[in-house]
Amino acid sequence: AGSLVQVKAYTKMGDYKGFETNPSAWKQIATAQVLSKGPGKPTAIPEISFERTHMYPGQTRAFYVTIDSPDIRYEQSNTGVGQPVAYTKYLKVNAGAGLAEQSFGSSIYEPRTFNGRVNYIHGVDCS
């Protein structure tokens, strides 16, 4: 199996482009310690670790997930940056970037795909 890792998640309205190394542009929305399941196995970040994040139809929102070890990985994408890698009727996840260092490092690699599952609730009043 894997090891205990510290996970942090951030978000910002709009695209991530130009903000990859600028921590002041991002809002932290989650922090958790999780036991990585090892290579090729899904590792869950507990829902309770996340602050509720609202989106409206047509909005773009960037997300950044970082850890303190190489035990959880993203993957290189065959899809171009900004192109969908997964979607539903209500939500689209696009290819983006990966950072080699933790916490907004300067080595940016594109295109990269989030290797995980996104849980969301549709139709909840965000006011």
Side-chain angles (χ1 to χ4, degrees), residues 15-35:
D15 201 322
Y16 72 91
K17 295 290 262 175
F19 299 96
E20 299 93 339
T21 62
N22 181 359
S24 65
W26 299 80
K27 178 183 179 189
Q28 186 173 334
I29 57 167
T31 186
Q33 279 200 325
V34 298
L35 182 63

Side-chain angles (χ1 to χ4, degrees), residues 5-6 9 16 29 32 57 60 62 65 73 78 86 90:
V5 295
Q6 180 74 29
Y16 72 91
I29 57 167
T60 297
V65 180
R73 313 275 303 175
N78 293 325
Y90 305 107

Side-chain angles (χ1 to χ4, degrees), residues 47 52 119-124:
E47 185 177 331
R52 183 174 276 185
N119 295 320
Y120 68 94
I121 300 170
H122 172 260
V124 176

Side-chain angles (χ1 to χ4, degrees), residues 45-118:
I45 303 170
E47 185 177 331
I48 195 167
S49 303
F50 283 87
E51 178 181 315
R52 183 174 276 185
T53 303
H54 302 286
M55 293 181 68
Y56 296 93
Q59 281 186 328
T60 297
R61 182 175 281 278
F63 291 91
Y64 171 49
V65 180
T66 186
I67 59 170
D68 65 357
S69 85
D71 290 333
I72 301 174
R73 313 275 303 175
Y74 58 78
E75 59 188 51
Q76 188 166 347
S77 178
N78 293 325
T79 305
V81 170
Q83 298 302 309
V85 294
Y87 59 91
T88 69
K89 181 178 176 181
Y90 305 107
L91 184 68
K92 179 173 64 170
V93 178
N94 294 336
L99 303 178
E101 302 88 19
Q102 302 157 14
S103 299
F104 304 96
S106 59
S107 298
I108 302 165
Y109 298 95
E110 295 177 318
R112 294 297 187 263
T113 298
F114 175 67
N115 193 5
R117 181 174 68 197
V118 177

